[in-house]
Amino acid sequence: MDPARQMCKHFRAMQTALIDSFNRRIEYLRISVTDRCELRCSYCIPKGFTGFEEPEHWLTFDEIERVVGAFTQLGVMRVRLTGGEPLSRGKLPDLAGRLVRIPGLRDLSLSTNGTRLRKLALPLRRAGVTRLNVSLDSLNPERFAEITGGGRLEQVLDGLMAAKEAGFDPVKINMVAMKGVNDGEIVDMVDFCIRYDFTLRLIETMPMGATGREATEHYLDLQEVKRTLQSRYELIPTVMTGGGPARYVRVGGTNLRIGFITPISQHFCATCNRVRLTVDGTIYTCLGQENNLELRPLLRAGVTDEGLKEAICLAISLKPERHEFTTRPDKIVRFMSVTGG
Ligand code: SAM
């Protein structure tokens, strides 16, 4: 028996944590519940793209629940629903309600573009979603429309307010910081987040797919941004709950926390604790590598619960040490909404 399979059998027998070949404990699963999104952010889904996954390939809610159950039995405690735009998948609060009842799951969070939050924030909160991230790259309506391929800023701002009214706390804003596009707005965004009590997370552009690669023309090193903000605000290192990679500071004299997500200028692969499940049931073990394992054929061929856990262990054993975004930026053909950001 090959060593990876033997290791998987061992994990399964021990019902223990998922530890990869680089001694990292995997306790966080991000699930792309759809690869579709009505927005066309310049760095994400290409304009005119039509090659979305066929509905018959989408994991059903039963299948997602089963996979999450297997992951939690192997020590995964946090799940984030993402996409594509997760709120475009019908009956998402029903799925959330089913997942939060799975023993061992401690935290169910969600990433959204915010356009449907006015209608769905409260049902999601009631279903048990604990934390919410909303993408917002600009506070200028024209620029927002340009970046998102026609998105309406007022809809997202209204969605953000609906999230607060529904009791999400904190609500985190994800801003992809781009030189020559929205870098002039970072201070405005800081002030906006102070005023409305949001948490801000700044993200470096990643070369995911052709769109992501083109967008790296606007790559902005967040270490520079941090220095600029430091000249204006007192930035005090702090921590925030959540399984993600952001490094946080608090802005002195305020409640605002700013997270820096720096996959390029200061990558965090050594502490990576997550894997991703695509809408068609493929586990991707790294955003910036192809290493993957398809669960859907197993699920639809009647795999046993033990077999499913064994397959998950095998996937984890394939997790590479790190991405190669800087050394091989042309490597990843999947754009972000396929894998689930
Ligand atoms: N639709 C949801 C949303 O807007 O948050 C979830 C999916 S979206 C793919 C998740 C996050 O990935 C968003 O914050 C988005 O800005 C970010 N993203 C997409 N492509 C990216 C890229 N090439 N580089 C950096 N961040 C990217």
Side-chain angles (χ1 to χ4, degrees):
M1 186 184 294
D2 75 74
R5 204 159 266 276
Q6 204 162 11
M7 187 166 74
C8 296
K9 280 212 176 293
H10 171 71
F11 278 152
R12 186 164 55 90
M14 302 284 291
Q15 292 271 296
T16 183
L18 289 169
I19 311 284
D20 76 359
S21 326
F22 302 93
N23 217 21
R24 295 170 296 199
R25 181 176 170 167
I26 308 306
E27 52 97 29
Y28 187 11
L29 175 67
R30 294 193 183 182
I31 304 175
S32 172
V33 294
T34 176
D35 55 348
R36 296 166 195 233
C37 181
E38 80 280 20
L39 300 184
R40 290 291 176 272
C41 295
S42 51
Y43 43 75
C44 196
I45 303 178
K47 298 208 170 38
F49 181 79
T50 53
F52 294 106
E53 217 28 89
E54 296 299 329
E56 61 265 30
H57 292 166
W58 300 354
L59 288 195
T60 63
F61 286 1
D62 285 344
E63 288 168 333
I64 294 174
E65 189 178 0
R66 191 163 173 224
V67 172
V68 172
F71 266 101
T72 55
Q73 285 175 38
L74 292 164
V76 165
M77 294 177 284
R78 303 169 196 270
V79 166
R80 172 172 297 275
L81 301 176
T82 179
E85 174 45 39
L87 304 197
S88 69
R89 176 105 187 227
K91 301 199 166 106
L92 194 73
D94 291 357
L95 176 65
R98 289 169 70 161
L99 298 184
V100 294
R101 283 195 286 277
I102 294 175
L105 190 75
R106 294 203 196 140
D107 181 48
L108 181 67
S109 57
L110 183 99
S111 293
T112 173
N113 64 24
T115 58
R116 293 174 181 79
L117 276 178
R118 172 51 65 195
K119 189 166 164 217
L120 285 169
L122 195 55
L124 287 164
R125 179 81 185 140
R126 286 190 175 142
V129 174
T130 40
R131 295 180 304 111
L132 204 59
N133 291 359
V134 181
S135 295
L136 181 62
D137 295 337
S138 175
L139 292 168
N140 172 305
E142 287 80 39
R143 190 172 295 122
F144 181 83
E146 201 169 306
I147 295 172
T148 57
R152 284 172 44 227
L153 175 65
E154 81 228 38
Q155 205 177 19
V156 177
L157 296 181
D158 187 44
L160 278 166
M161 297 312 152
K164 277 176 77 89
E165 287 156 28
F168 284 103
D169 184 23
V171 175
K172 295 179 182 171
I173 289 184
N174 280 347
M175 178 184 193
V176 178
M178 294 170 279
K179 194 173 273 187
V181 178
N182 62 358
D183 51 342
E185 283 198 63
I186 293 175
V187 168
D188 291 346
M189 194 65 90
V190 167
D191 291 341
F192 173 79
C193 290
I194 292 174
R195 179 161 173 215
Y196 291 101
D197 200 21
F198 296 123
T199 296
L200 177 61
R201 288 142 48 94
L202 300 169
I203 306 175
E204 287 178 346
T205 319
M206 286 172 258
M208 300 277 304
T211 39
R213 262 192 300 287
E214 278 161 28
T216 54
E217 151 194 356
H218 299 289
Y219 168 73
L220 182 58
D221 181 334
L222 287 181
Q223 313 302 327
E224 277 174 39
V225 173
K226 199 171 186 176
R227 280 191 290 277
T228 310
L229 291 177
Q230 246 153 358
S231 66
R232 195 177 174 110
Y233 306 97
E234 182 192 15
L235 302 183
I236 306 154
T238 186
V239 282
M240 270 195 96
T241 48
R247 295 179 175 93
Y248 283 97
V249 296
R250 188 172 61 76
V251 174
T254 78
N255 287 328
L256 175 65
R257 282 161 296 183
I258 307 177
F260 295 85
I261 302 181
T262 57
I264 311 295
S265 67
Q266 195 180 12
H267 75 80
F268 31 79
C269 302
T271 55
C272 184
N273 61 353
R274 58 202 157 273
V275 292
R276 292 171 166 86
L277 180 70
T278 59
V279 68
D280 71 341
T282 305
I283 299 178
Y284 277 97
T285 56
C286 174
L287 208 47
Q289 298 282 7
E290 293 296 346
N291 309 34
N292 69 78
L293 190 142
E294 289 179 33
L295 292 183
R296 192 182 79 248
L298 303 177
L299 290 164
R300 296 195 179 169
V303 70
T304 62
D305 290 349
E306 287 306 292
L308 182 57
K309 283 193 268 181
E310 206 175 302
I312 291 170
C313 291
L314 188 58
I316 300 304
S317 73
L318 304 175
K319 187 169 167 67
E321 186 172 13
R322 53 163 301 181
H323 66 66
E324 295 171 291
F325 284 145
T326 33
T327 47
R328 299 191 57 195
D330 53 337
K331 190 165 183 182
I332 297 303
V333 294
R334 312 180 308 267
F335 40 86
M336 188 73 94
S337 89
V338 176
T339 326

